[in-house]
Amino acid sequence: FEIFTDELTSHIGLLTSLVKDEKIQNELMKIGELVYHINPSLRTFVSVTEDELKWLEDCTNTIYNEVKGRCEKFVLPQGCESASLAHILRAKFKALVRLLYRYNYAGNEVPNILFDFANLLSGYFFNLALKLNELNGVDEIEYISRNYK
């Protein structure tokens, strides 16, 4: 868990270096710090707060409202370099949620706020990918599944 969250924070730092928008850079810096605060939570104690979770939810909702018209269906995880990295982060946070569930299923306690943060971060990075593509003039490409109709 700690190695994975360290990797996530490193990817967030890389994404921050690729983004030109100062507001998004500042959000990413704070999110990276929050992920580092989550890092030792399973071994020590949870130091992230409900207020920080609410802040992240507000950031996610703001970006969602800015890009909601760009994605009516599934889209391929592609685009400009920064959006592609945001999609990688989205997928990695989904993997973190699964890791937490496996840890919990094995009989270990996982505070709900960790599930909430990891799930919300996956959503944040999905919406951020759409926003970064928009800022860079890249269109989304709809994904049409052969399995789900």
Side-chain angles (χ1 to χ4, degrees):
F1 180 82
E2 291 178 36
I3 293 168
F4 196 30
T5 53
D6 185 31
E7 178 187 358
L8 287 163
T9 305
S10 298
H11 281 294
I12 292 168
L14 176 59
L15 179 57
T16 303
S17 74
L18 298 174
V19 171
K20 308 247 183 299
D21 183 282
E22 189 175 338
K23 177 185 175 282
I24 296 172
Q25 284 177 333
N26 290 335
E27 274 184 15
L28 289 170
M29 291 299 292
K30 184 169 180 177
I31 288 169
E33 186 177 329
L34 289 174
V35 175
Y36 253 3
H37 285 305
I38 290 169
N39 180 290
S41 294
L42 296 180
R43 185 174 43 83
T44 60
F45 63 92
V46 176
S47 62
V48 290
T49 67
E50 291 291 334
D51 286 342
E52 290 166 328
L53 181 63
K54 176 70 172 109
W55 172 82
L56 179 60
E57 182 180 19
D58 291 343
C59 292
T60 304
N61 289 336
T62 297
I63 294 175
Y64 170 78
N65 287 324
E66 292 173 358
V67 299
K68 63 183 171 186
R70 291 185 61 83
C71 179
E72 301 298 324
K73 307 227 178 189
F74 289 105
V75 296
L76 291 174
Q78 58 79 49
C80 65
E81 186 176 13
S82 59
S84 295
L85 183 52
H87 276 299
I88 290 168
L89 281 159
R90 169 196 53 80
K92 286 183 175 288
F93 275 107
K94 284 172 82 172
L96 185 66
V97 171
R98 299 282 169 88
L99 181 70
L100 287 169
Y101 274 111
R102 275 184 269 150
Y103 186 75
N104 186 254
Y105 184 75
N108 301 292
E109 184 178 339
V110 177
N112 285 335
I113 196 168
L114 294 180
F115 288 114
D116 293 342
F117 260 102
N119 274 308
L120 194 52
L121 284 163
S122 179
Y124 173 86
F125 283 104
F126 174 75
N127 289 303
L128 182 61
L130 299 179
K131 179 69 176 178
L132 293 170
N133 273 340
E134 179 182 61
L135 290 173
N136 287 280
V138 177
D139 291 331
E140 303 304 327
I141 299 172
E142 183 180 356
Y143 166 71
I144 300 170
S145 174
R146 294 177 185 160
N147 300 83
Y148 305 106
K149 304 220 183 239

